[in-house]
Amino acid sequence: MDIAVLAYDGVFDSGLAALLDVLEGANAMRGELAQPPPAWNVTTIGFRRRVRTGAGHVVETVPVGAAEDADLLLVPALAERRPEALLAHVSGPAAAPARRLVAATRARRTPIASACTGTFLLAESGVLDGLHATTSWWLAPYFRGRYPAVTVDETRMVTSSDGVTTAGAAFGHVDLALAIVRMNSPALAELVARYLVIDERPSQAAYTISAALAQADPTLAAFERWAREHLDQPVSIADGARAIGVSERTLQRAVRRTLGTSPVRFVQDLRVERASHLLRTTGLPLEVIARKVGYEHANTLRILLRERTGATASTLRGR
C-alpha cells in the first residue's frame, strides 16, 4: 500500500511522528509473522519542499502530486487547540490548498484518514458530509455546530465511514495508525501494539471532562453546575430547567445542539465521571459510590461504567 502523509505548516509534531513511527514499526516487524502482509510505502508530502511544524521543526517533503497515486491519504492534526483559531484556520486561505487536496482525493474515491483537529480540515473540505466521524472530545461541540451534516460521536477513538477514517484527540494518531495496520493484518497490529506498549482504547469517554464540554454553551454550563450539586439525588430535568431559568424544551435543545445528546444522558455522563474519580482516588465500596452519584443499586452503576468507559469498576479502581 502506498500511503501519502500530508505535512503542512503548523502540523502537530507528535501526530505526524506517531503516524510515521507506527507505520515504520509495522514494516520493521512484518518479518516476525509467518504470513506477513505487504509493506507500506510511506511518503511525506507537502506544498513546499520544507514545512515548519507547530513546534518549529523543519520537515522535508515531496510534492503533493504524489498523492494522486497513493492508496491512502493521511492528514495529521493542526497544532491548534483554541476552537475559534482552529475554525478560522481551516476555513481560511492558508488551508485552501489542503482543502482542495482532500476534496480531490475524495473525488478519486481514495481513502482518507485524519485525527484530532485534522478532522476539522476534512469536514471543512466537505468530505465528511453525510458520514459518521469522531474528533477530539473537547472540540466536539464546536465541530457539531460548524458541520451539522456530519454525525459526530466524540466518544469513539476511531471510526470509519465510507472510506474516511477519523480518530480522537491528540494521541489518537497512534490509534489511527494501528487501525490502518489492523485493516491489513490484525496480527501485525497486535504485535506492534505489544512492542510499542500501546493499550487498546476503543473509547474517549473515560477521558472526557464534562465541565469542559459544557462551557461551549451558557445554558448547558448553568445546567451542568446545577446537576453536579444534585448528583446524589433523583434529578428532574424539569426542575433543572426551572432552576436555571429556562424552559425544559430550551434546555433540551441546548444540550442536543452542543453535545448531540439528551439532558438525561448528560447527567448520566456526569455521574459516570464522578464515580470514576471516586474509584480512582478512594477506597470506598462500589455500593457507597453508587449512592453518592444517585444510584440505589451498585449494579446499575457497574453496567453504566462499562457502557460509557469500556472499562469495569475494578479496572478503573486499578488506574
Side-chain angles (χ1 to χ4, degrees):
M1 174 182 285
D2 291 323
I3 298 178
V5 181
L6 178 64
Y8 53 91
D9 287 333
V11 70
F12 178 48
D13 293 64
S14 295
L16 174 62
L19 294 173
L20 296 175
D21 285 345
V22 171
L23 291 171
E24 190 280 333
N27 276 336
M29 298 174 200
R30 287 171 53 251
E32 298 188 30
L33 298 181
Q35 296 181 323
W40 287 268
N41 179 33
V42 182
T43 303
T44 304
I45 63 172
F47 298 103
R48 294 186 292 108
R49 176 58 69 87
R50 294 179 178 83
V51 300
R52 192 169 293 277
T53 68
H57 298 104
V58 175
V59 175
E60 300 274 349
T61 71
V62 303
V64 294
E68 295 181 6
D69 299 320
D71 300 303
L72 172 67
L73 173 65
L74 282 179
V75 183
L78 175 72
E80 178 57 76
R81 70 185 311 276
R82 298 167 298 169
E84 295 80 6
L86 172 61
L87 290 172
H89 179 86
V90 298
S91 63
R99 293 197 303 269
R100 289 193 293 269
L101 173 65
V102 169
T105 302
R106 177 64 174 171
R108 294 193 297 270
R109 301 301 297 176
T110 299
I112 304 172
S114 187
C116 193
T117 56
T119 60
F120 281 73
L121 184 58
L122 266 58
E124 194 70 31
S125 304
V127 305
L128 288 177
D129 287 357
L131 304 183
H132 288 74
T134 191
T135 189
S136 306
W137 64 261
W138 48 274
L139 288 171
Y142 305 94
F143 189 102
R144 190 174 283 110
R146 174 80 176 182
Y147 311 112
V150 185
T151 301
V152 60
D153 179 0
E154 68 274 20
T155 67
R156 299 285 298 276
M157 188 63 78
V158 180
T159 185
S160 292
S161 183
D162 192 27
V164 183
T165 303
T166 51
F171 291 101
H173 287 83
V174 174
D175 303 86
L176 178 63
L178 275 177
I180 291 166
V181 175
R182 190 175 295 110
M183 290 174 188
N184 289 273
S185 175
L188 182 56
E190 181 180 355
L191 184 65
V192 172
R194 285 178 174 273
Y195 270 104
L196 299 184
V197 196
I198 302 170
D199 291 328
E200 184 179 6
R201 301 180 299 175
S203 174
Q204 295 186 89
Y207 306 92
T208 299
I209 303 172
S210 298
L213 295 175
Q215 298 315 303
D217 183 273
T219 297
L220 180 56
F223 177 67
E224 183 253 345
R225 288 192 295 272
W226 178 87
R228 284 187 185 278
E229 293 171 359
H230 299 81
L231 279 188
D232 61 342
Q233 309 164 25
V235 171
S236 164
I237 303 305
D239 288 346
R242 201 160 33 245
I244 65 174
V246 301
S247 69
E248 187 173 353
R249 185 174 181 181
T250 296
L251 174 59
Q252 289 172 339
R253 282 194 294 210
V255 177
R256 177 67 59 183
R257 179 179 62 247
T258 307
L259 303 180
T261 188
S262 67
V264 170
R265 188 176 176 90
F266 179 58
V267 172
Q268 289 176 338
D269 288 340
L270 294 177
R271 286 175 162 154
V272 166
E273 181 185 278
R274 180 172 292 182
S276 298
H277 174 73
L278 291 173
L279 283 166
R280 290 194 301 266
T281 60
T282 75
L284 292 172
L286 187 63
E287 292 75 12
V288 174
I289 292 175
R291 289 194 293 273
K292 283 181 174 293
V293 297
Y295 293 115
E296 183 178 352
H297 303 292
N299 197 49
T300 303
L301 177 59
R302 186 177 288 110
I303 293 170
L304 195 60
L305 285 168
R306 179 177 283 279
E307 175 190 317
R308 298 297 169 83
T309 70
T312 64
S314 59
T315 300
L316 290 169
R317 193 183 290 282
R319 290 175 181 171

